[in-house]
Amino acid sequence: GEDVEQSLFLSVREGDSSVINCTYTDSSSTYLYWYKQEPGAGLQLLTYIFSNMDMKQDQRLTVLLNKKDKHLSLRIADTQTGDSAIYFCAERNNAGNMLTFGGGTRLMVKP
Amino acid sequence: NAGVTQTPKFQVLKTGQSMTLQCAQDMNHEYMSWYRQDPGMGLRLIHYSVGAGITDQGEVPNGYNVSRSTTEDFPLRLLSAAPSQTSVYFCASSSLGLAGGSEQYFGPGTRLTVT
């Protein structure tokens, strides 16, 4: 079955760039997603990338996809304290009816 | 729009008790789903529905039942609670299922403890 893995924790200083990494196993995934979860809240979609793309940029967010290595990353430029949260990557299955989530990366931004 | 609402916010059950977690959305979304979130494991899909009268199992359906009698409501029933069901439960909905980059809107969650 599908498996999505992320590192547990990342700490950066305010103003630096953050890079959150994710690996997945389902080579037939067509869409990959990044979600953000703030304390005590549900998940919020940040961005997504279609599998035929290598890169997608959206303001401070850059998503890189390496299909050969099944590696997905999220770069946050000029990281702010408000970016402190848990970030989840997720892949959509081939049938298009389920998402498989990674375990989440807790990003801590120090002032 | 209230978005996706869940009740209750917190619940403590004894082993063997049953209860229903409520989920409602006012966005006329066809696709609704239930996830559980456990530390370090991300979210795992319990059940989902692509429209009223249609439900299907996700990754971890055992011990849970769902029904979808209306577009708005998607309750999750715990038949006989077990400590392994201690978790945070999220309901989500989207307008186009998981088509393309359609966004799932998540509720605020229900924190359930089974003793």
Short mmCIF file of all heavy atoms in Angstrom, two decimals, chain A residues 8 31 33 35 37 40-45 48 86 88 92-93 96-104, chain B residues 31 35 37 40-43 45 48 57-59 90 97-108:
data_model
loop_
_atom_site.label_atom_id
_atom_site.label_comp_id
_atom_site.label_asym_id
_atom_site.label_seq_id
_atom_site.Cartn_x
_atom_site.Cartn_y
_atom_site.Cartn_z
N LEU A 8 10.13 14.49 11.52
CA LEU A 8 9.18 14.93 12.56
C LEU A 8 9.27 16.41 12.87
O LEU A 8 8.28 17.03 13.24
CB LEU A 8 9.46 14.14 13.84
CG LEU A 8 8.99 12.70 13.88
CD1 LEU A 8 9.38 12.06 15.21
CD2 LEU A 8 7.48 12.61 13.70
N TYR A 31 -1.73 13.47 -7.90
CA TYR A 31 -1.67 14.76 -7.22
C TYR A 31 -1.01 14.58 -5.86
O TYR A 31 -1.26 13.60 -5.16
CB TYR A 31 -3.08 15.34 -7.01
CG TYR A 31 -3.67 15.93 -8.26
CD1 TYR A 31 -4.42 15.15 -9.12
CD2 TYR A 31 -3.46 17.26 -8.59
CE1 TYR A 31 -4.95 15.68 -10.29
CE2 TYR A 31 -3.98 17.81 -9.74
CZ TYR A 31 -4.72 17.02 -10.59
OH TYR A 31 -5.24 17.53 -11.74
N TYR A 33 -0.05 16.90 -2.26
CA TYR A 33 -0.57 18.07 -1.56
C TYR A 33 0.30 18.43 -0.36
O TYR A 33 0.94 17.57 0.23
CB TYR A 33 -1.99 17.77 -1.03
CG TYR A 33 -2.99 17.35 -2.06
CD1 TYR A 33 -3.05 16.06 -2.52
CD2 TYR A 33 -3.90 18.27 -2.58
CE1 TYR A 33 -3.98 15.66 -3.48
CE2 TYR A 33 -4.83 17.90 -3.53
CZ TYR A 33 -4.86 16.58 -3.97
OH TYR A 33 -5.79 16.21 -4.91
N TYR A 35 -0.51 20.36 3.30
CA TYR A 35 -1.49 20.94 4.22
C TYR A 35 -0.77 21.52 5.43
O TYR A 35 0.29 21.04 5.83
CB TYR A 35 -2.47 19.87 4.71
CG TYR A 35 -3.57 19.50 3.75
CD1 TYR A 35 -3.34 18.58 2.73
CD2 TYR A 35 -4.82 20.09 3.86
CE1 TYR A 35 -4.36 18.24 1.85
CE2 TYR A 35 -5.85 19.74 2.98
CZ TYR A 35 -5.60 18.82 1.99
OH TYR A 35 -6.62 18.48 1.12
N GLN A 37 -1.41 22.61 9.55
CA GLN A 37 -2.29 22.49 10.70
C GLN A 37 -1.76 23.36 11.83
O GLN A 37 -0.66 23.12 12.35
CB GLN A 37 -2.41 21.05 11.17
CG GLN A 37 -3.41 20.87 12.32
CD GLN A 37 -3.49 19.44 12.82
OE1 GLN A 37 -2.52 18.69 12.81
NE2 GLN A 37 -4.67 19.04 13.26
N GLY A 40 -4.75 23.14 17.56
CA GLY A 40 -6.18 23.08 17.87
C GLY A 40 -7.10 23.24 16.68
O GLY A 40 -8.31 23.39 16.86
N ALA A 41 -6.55 23.19 15.48
CA ALA A 41 -7.38 23.42 14.29
C ALA A 41 -7.29 22.24 13.33
O ALA A 41 -6.45 21.36 13.48
CB ALA A 41 -6.93 24.70 13.58
N GLY A 42 -8.18 22.25 12.36
CA GLY A 42 -8.12 21.25 11.30
C GLY A 42 -7.04 21.60 10.30
O GLY A 42 -6.28 22.54 10.47
N LEU A 43 -6.96 20.82 9.23
CA LEU A 43 -5.95 21.04 8.21
C LEU A 43 -6.43 22.04 7.18
O LEU A 43 -7.62 22.10 6.85
CB LEU A 43 -5.60 19.72 7.51
CG LEU A 43 -4.58 18.84 8.20
CD1 LEU A 43 -5.10 18.29 9.50
CD2 LEU A 43 -4.13 17.71 7.28
N GLN A 44 -5.47 22.80 6.65
CA GLN A 44 -5.77 23.79 5.63
C GLN A 44 -4.88 23.52 4.43
O GLN A 44 -3.65 23.41 4.58
CB GLN A 44 -5.51 25.19 6.20
CG GLN A 44 -5.75 26.30 5.22
CD GLN A 44 -5.30 27.64 5.80
OE1 GLN A 44 -4.68 27.70 6.85
NE2 GLN A 44 -5.62 28.71 5.11
N LEU A 45 -5.49 23.43 3.25
CA LEU A 45 -4.69 23.18 2.05
C LEU A 45 -3.80 24.39 1.75
O LEU A 45 -4.27 25.51 1.65
CB LEU A 45 -5.60 22.90 0.86
CG LEU A 45 -4.90 22.64 -0.47
CD1 LEU A 45 -4.10 21.35 -0.41
CD2 LEU A 45 -5.91 22.59 -1.61
N TYR A 48 -0.78 22.38 -4.02
CA TYR A 48 -0.74 21.02 -4.54
C TYR A 48 0.05 21.06 -5.85
O TYR A 48 0.27 22.12 -6.44
CB TYR A 48 -2.15 20.48 -4.78
CG TYR A 48 -2.89 21.21 -5.87
CD1 TYR A 48 -2.87 20.77 -7.19
CD2 TYR A 48 -3.62 22.36 -5.59
CE1 TYR A 48 -3.54 21.44 -8.19
CE2 TYR A 48 -4.28 23.04 -6.58
CZ TYR A 48 -4.25 22.57 -7.88
OH TYR A 48 -4.91 23.26 -8.86
N ILE A 86 2.22 22.46 12.02
CA ILE A 86 2.58 21.12 11.51
C ILE A 86 2.21 21.08 10.03
O ILE A 86 1.10 21.48 9.66
CB ILE A 86 1.85 20.01 12.27
CG1 ILE A 86 2.17 20.09 13.76
CG2 ILE A 86 2.25 18.64 11.72
CD1 ILE A 86 1.42 19.08 14.61
N PHE A 88 1.75 18.75 6.62
CA PHE A 88 1.52 17.39 6.15
C PHE A 88 1.61 17.34 4.64
O PHE A 88 1.01 18.17 3.95
CB PHE A 88 0.12 16.91 6.55
CG PHE A 88 -0.08 16.73 8.02
CD1 PHE A 88 -0.57 17.76 8.80
CD2 PHE A 88 0.21 15.52 8.63
CE1 PHE A 88 -0.76 17.61 10.16
CE2 PHE A 88 0.03 15.34 9.99
CZ PHE A 88 -0.46 16.39 10.75
N ARG A 92 -2.66 11.51 -3.50
CA ARG A 92 -3.98 11.02 -3.88
C ARG A 92 -3.81 9.70 -4.60
O ARG A 92 -2.92 9.55 -5.44
CB ARG A 92 -4.67 12.02 -4.81
CG ARG A 92 -6.15 11.75 -4.98
CD ARG A 92 -6.75 12.65 -6.03
NE ARG A 92 -6.44 12.18 -7.37
CZ ARG A 92 -7.03 12.67 -8.45
NH1 ARG A 92 -7.93 13.61 -8.35
NH2 ARG A 92 -6.72 12.21 -9.65
N ASN A 93 -4.68 8.74 -4.26
CA ASN A 93 -4.54 7.43 -4.89
C ASN A 93 -5.01 7.49 -6.35
O ASN A 93 -5.63 8.45 -6.79
CB ASN A 93 -5.27 6.34 -4.11
CG ASN A 93 -6.79 6.47 -4.17
OD1 ASN A 93 -7.31 7.52 -4.52
ND2 ASN A 93 -7.48 5.43 -3.79
N GLY A 96 -8.54 8.16 -7.18
CA GLY A 96 -8.99 9.53 -6.92
C GLY A 96 -9.99 9.66 -5.80
O GLY A 96 -10.74 10.65 -5.75
N ASN A 97 -10.05 8.66 -4.88
CA ASN A 97 -11.04 8.75 -3.82
C ASN A 97 -10.43 8.76 -2.42
O ASN A 97 -11.16 8.82 -1.44
CB ASN A 97 -12.06 7.61 -3.94
CG ASN A 97 -11.40 6.25 -3.93
OD1 ASN A 97 -10.20 6.13 -3.71
ND2 ASN A 97 -12.16 5.22 -4.18
N MET A 98 -9.10 8.71 -2.32
CA MET A 98 -8.47 8.71 -1.00
C MET A 98 -7.18 9.49 -1.03
O MET A 98 -6.45 9.50 -2.01
CB MET A 98 -8.12 7.28 -0.55
CG MET A 98 -9.29 6.40 -0.26
SD MET A 98 -8.72 4.89 0.54
CE MET A 98 -10.13 3.85 0.27
N LEU A 99 -6.90 10.14 0.11
CA LEU A 99 -5.60 10.76 0.34
C LEU A 99 -4.86 9.96 1.40
O LEU A 99 -5.46 9.54 2.39
CB LEU A 99 -5.75 12.19 0.82
CG LEU A 99 -6.35 13.23 -0.13
CD1 LEU A 99 -6.29 14.62 0.52
CD2 LEU A 99 -5.63 13.23 -1.46
N THR A 100 -3.56 9.76 1.20
CA THR A 100 -2.71 9.17 2.23
C THR A 100 -1.78 10.26 2.73
O THR A 100 -1.07 10.89 1.94
CB THR A 100 -1.90 8.00 1.66
OG1 THR A 100 -2.78 7.00 1.18
CG2 THR A 100 -1.01 7.41 2.74
N PHE A 101 -1.81 10.47 4.04
CA PHE A 101 -1.04 11.55 4.65
C PHE A 101 0.25 11.02 5.26
O PHE A 101 0.30 9.91 5.79
CB PHE A 101 -1.86 12.22 5.76
CG PHE A 101 -2.96 13.10 5.27
CD1 PHE A 101 -4.19 12.57 4.91
CD2 PHE A 101 -2.77 14.48 5.17
CE1 PHE A 101 -5.21 13.39 4.47
CE2 PHE A 101 -3.79 15.30 4.72
CZ PHE A 101 -5.02 14.75 4.36
N GLY A 102 1.27 11.87 5.24
CA GLY A 102 2.46 11.61 6.03
C GLY A 102 2.19 11.94 7.49
O GLY A 102 1.12 12.44 7.84
N GLY A 103 3.17 11.65 8.34
CA GLY A 103 2.99 11.85 9.76
C GLY A 103 3.09 13.30 10.23
O GLY A 103 2.80 13.60 11.38
N GLY A 104 3.49 14.18 9.32
CA GLY A 104 3.55 15.59 9.68
C GLY A 104 4.93 16.03 10.15
O GLY A 104 5.63 15.27 10.83
N TYR B 31 -18.73 15.35 -1.53
CA TYR B 31 -17.75 14.43 -0.93
C TYR B 31 -17.54 14.81 0.53
O TYR B 31 -17.25 15.97 0.84
CB TYR B 31 -16.43 14.52 -1.70
CG TYR B 31 -15.35 13.57 -1.22
CD1 TYR B 31 -15.17 12.33 -1.81
CD2 TYR B 31 -14.47 13.94 -0.20
CE1 TYR B 31 -14.16 11.47 -1.39
CE2 TYR B 31 -13.47 13.09 0.22
CZ TYR B 31 -13.32 11.85 -0.38
OH TYR B 31 -12.33 11.00 0.04
N TYR B 35 -11.55 11.27 9.20
CA TYR B 35 -10.18 10.85 9.45
C TYR B 35 -9.98 10.77 10.97
O TYR B 35 -10.64 11.46 11.74
CB TYR B 35 -9.18 11.88 8.92
CG TYR B 35 -9.13 12.04 7.43
CD1 TYR B 35 -9.97 12.93 6.77
CD2 TYR B 35 -8.21 11.32 6.67
CE1 TYR B 35 -9.91 13.09 5.41
CE2 TYR B 35 -8.13 11.49 5.29
CZ TYR B 35 -8.98 12.37 4.67
OH TYR B 35 -8.91 12.54 3.31
N GLN B 37 -6.65 11.20 13.67
CA GLN B 37 -5.27 11.67 13.74
C GLN B 37 -4.65 11.19 15.03
O GLN B 37 -5.11 11.53 16.12
CB GLN B 37 -5.20 13.21 13.67
CG GLN B 37 -3.77 13.73 13.66
CD GLN B 37 -3.69 15.24 13.59
OE1 GLN B 37 -4.59 15.95 14.02
NE2 GLN B 37 -2.61 15.75 13.02
N GLY B 40 2.19 11.40 15.35
CA GLY B 40 3.22 10.87 14.47
C GLY B 40 2.72 10.03 13.32
O GLY B 40 3.53 9.48 12.56
N MET B 41 1.41 9.90 13.17
CA MET B 41 0.88 9.02 12.12
C MET B 41 0.07 9.78 11.08
O MET B 41 -0.53 9.16 10.21
CB MET B 41 0.01 7.93 12.74
CG MET B 41 0.77 7.01 13.64
SD MET B 41 -0.21 5.62 14.17
CE MET B 41 -0.31 4.68 12.65
N GLY B 42 0.03 11.09 11.17
CA GLY B 42 -0.76 11.82 10.20
C GLY B 42 -2.23 11.48 10.32
O GLY B 42 -2.70 11.01 11.36
N LEU B 43 -2.97 11.69 9.26
CA LEU B 43 -4.39 11.40 9.25
C LEU B 43 -4.63 10.11 8.50
O LEU B 43 -4.04 9.87 7.44
CB LEU B 43 -5.16 12.54 8.56
CG LEU B 43 -5.51 13.74 9.43
CD1 LEU B 43 -4.29 14.55 9.73
CD2 LEU B 43 -6.58 14.58 8.76
N LEU B 45 -7.75 7.71 6.84
CA LEU B 45 -9.14 7.78 6.40
C LEU B 45 -9.94 6.63 6.98
O LEU B 45 -9.56 5.46 6.85
CB LEU B 45 -9.18 7.74 4.87
CG LEU B 45 -10.54 7.85 4.21
CD1 LEU B 45 -11.13 9.23 4.45
CD2 LEU B 45 -10.40 7.60 2.71
N TYR B 48 -15.64 7.36 3.84
CA TYR B 48 -15.94 8.52 3.03
C TYR B 48 -17.25 8.31 2.29
O TYR B 48 -17.78 7.19 2.23
CB TYR B 48 -14.80 8.83 2.06
CG TYR B 48 -14.59 7.80 0.97
CD1 TYR B 48 -15.14 7.96 -0.30
CD2 TYR B 48 -13.80 6.68 1.21
CE1 TYR B 48 -14.93 7.03 -1.29
CE2 TYR B 48 -13.59 5.73 0.22
CZ TYR B 48 -14.15 5.91 -1.02
OH TYR B 48 -13.94 4.97 -2.01
N GLN B 57 -15.61 2.40 2.60
CA GLN B 57 -14.60 2.28 3.64
C GLN B 57 -13.29 2.92 3.22
O GLN B 57 -12.92 2.88 2.04
CB GLN B 57 -14.37 0.80 3.95
CG GLN B 57 -15.56 0.09 4.53
CD GLN B 57 -15.27 -1.36 4.86
OE1 GLN B 57 -14.24 -1.91 4.47
NE2 GLN B 57 -16.16 -1.99 5.60
N GLY B 58 -12.60 3.46 4.22
CA GLY B 58 -11.27 3.97 3.99
C GLY B 58 -10.23 2.98 4.47
O GLY B 58 -10.41 1.77 4.38
N GLU B 59 -9.17 3.51 5.03
CA GLU B 59 -8.03 2.70 5.44
C GLU B 59 -8.26 1.97 6.75
O GLU B 59 -7.80 0.84 6.94
CB GLU B 59 -6.81 3.63 5.56
CG GLU B 59 -5.50 2.97 5.91
CD GLU B 59 -4.39 4.00 6.14
OE1 GLU B 59 -4.62 5.21 5.91
OE2 GLU B 59 -3.30 3.58 6.56
N PHE B 90 -11.36 14.09 12.62
CA PHE B 90 -11.64 15.22 11.73
C PHE B 90 -12.61 14.78 10.64
O PHE B 90 -12.45 13.72 10.04
CB PHE B 90 -10.36 15.74 11.08
CG PHE B 90 -9.45 16.46 12.01
CD1 PHE B 90 -8.35 15.83 12.56
CD2 PHE B 90 -9.70 17.78 12.35
CE1 PHE B 90 -7.50 16.50 13.43
CE2 PHE B 90 -8.86 18.47 13.21
CZ PHE B 90 -7.76 17.83 13.76
N GLY B 97 -15.04 16.00 -4.87
CA GLY B 97 -14.33 14.82 -4.39
C GLY B 97 -12.88 15.17 -4.25
O GLY B 97 -12.53 16.21 -3.69
N LEU B 98 -12.01 14.33 -4.78
CA LEU B 98 -10.59 14.62 -4.75
C LEU B 98 -10.11 14.91 -6.17
O LEU B 98 -8.96 14.70 -6.50
CB LEU B 98 -9.82 13.44 -4.13
CG LEU B 98 -10.21 13.11 -2.69
CD1 LEU B 98 -9.43 11.91 -2.19
CD2 LEU B 98 -9.98 14.30 -1.78
N ALA B 99 -11.02 15.42 -7.00
CA ALA B 99 -10.66 15.70 -8.39
C ALA B 99 -9.66 16.84 -8.45
O ALA B 99 -9.80 17.85 -7.77
CB ALA B 99 -11.91 16.08 -9.18
N GLY B 100 -8.68 16.67 -9.26
CA GLY B 100 -7.70 17.72 -9.46
C GLY B 100 -7.14 18.24 -8.16
O GLY B 100 -6.83 17.48 -7.27
N GLY B 101 -7.05 19.51 -8.04
CA GLY B 101 -6.55 20.11 -6.81
C GLY B 101 -7.66 20.62 -5.92
O GLY B 101 -7.45 21.55 -5.16
N SER B 102 -8.85 20.00 -6.01
CA SER B 102 -9.97 20.50 -5.21
C SER B 102 -9.63 20.43 -3.73
O SER B 102 -9.00 19.48 -3.27
CB SER B 102 -11.24 19.70 -5.49
OG SER B 102 -11.12 18.39 -5.03
N GLU B 103 -10.03 21.43 -3.02
CA GLU B 103 -9.63 21.56 -1.62
C GLU B 103 -10.61 20.84 -0.72
O GLU B 103 -11.82 20.96 -0.87
CB GLU B 103 -9.58 23.03 -1.22
CG GLU B 103 -9.20 23.26 0.23
CD GLU B 103 -8.93 24.71 0.55
OE1 GLU B 103 -9.05 25.55 -0.36
OE2 GLU B 103 -8.60 24.99 1.71
N GLN B 104 -10.08 20.08 0.23
CA GLN B 104 -10.89 19.53 1.30
C GLN B 104 -10.93 20.55 2.43
O GLN B 104 -9.90 21.04 2.85
CB GLN B 104 -10.30 18.22 1.83
CG GLN B 104 -10.53 17.03 0.94
CD GLN B 104 -10.49 15.72 1.71
OE1 GLN B 104 -11.48 15.28 2.28
NE2 GLN B 104 -9.32 15.10 1.74
N TYR B 105 -12.13 20.85 2.90
CA TYR B 105 -12.31 21.74 4.04
C TYR B 105 -12.48 20.88 5.28
O TYR B 105 -13.35 20.02 5.32
CB TYR B 105 -13.53 22.63 3.83
CG TYR B 105 -13.37 23.62 2.71
CD1 TYR B 105 -13.63 23.25 1.41
CD2 TYR B 105 -12.95 24.92 2.96
CE1 TYR B 105 -13.49 24.14 0.37
CE2 TYR B 105 -12.80 25.83 1.93
CZ TYR B 105 -13.07 25.43 0.63
OH TYR B 105 -12.91 26.31 -0.39
N PHE B 106 -11.65 21.16 6.28
CA PHE B 106 -11.67 20.35 7.50
C PHE B 106 -12.44 21.05 8.62
O PHE B 106 -12.38 22.27 8.76
CB PHE B 106 -10.24 20.09 7.98
CG PHE B 106 -9.54 19.02 7.19
CD1 PHE B 106 -8.97 19.30 5.95
CD2 PHE B 106 -9.46 17.72 7.66
CE1 PHE B 106 -8.33 18.31 5.22
CE2 PHE B 106 -8.82 16.72 6.94
CZ PHE B 106 -8.26 17.03 5.71
N GLY B 107 -13.13 20.24 9.41
CA GLY B 107 -13.73 20.73 10.64
C GLY B 107 -12.68 20.92 11.71
O GLY B 107 -11.51 20.55 11.53
N PRO B 108 -13.06 21.46 12.88
CA PRO B 108 -12.10 21.76 13.94
C PRO B 108 -11.67 20.53 14.74
O PRO B 108 -10.73 20.61 15.52
CB PRO B 108 -12.86 22.74 14.84
CG PRO B 108 -14.29 22.39 14.61
CD PRO B 108 -14.42 21.94 13.20
#
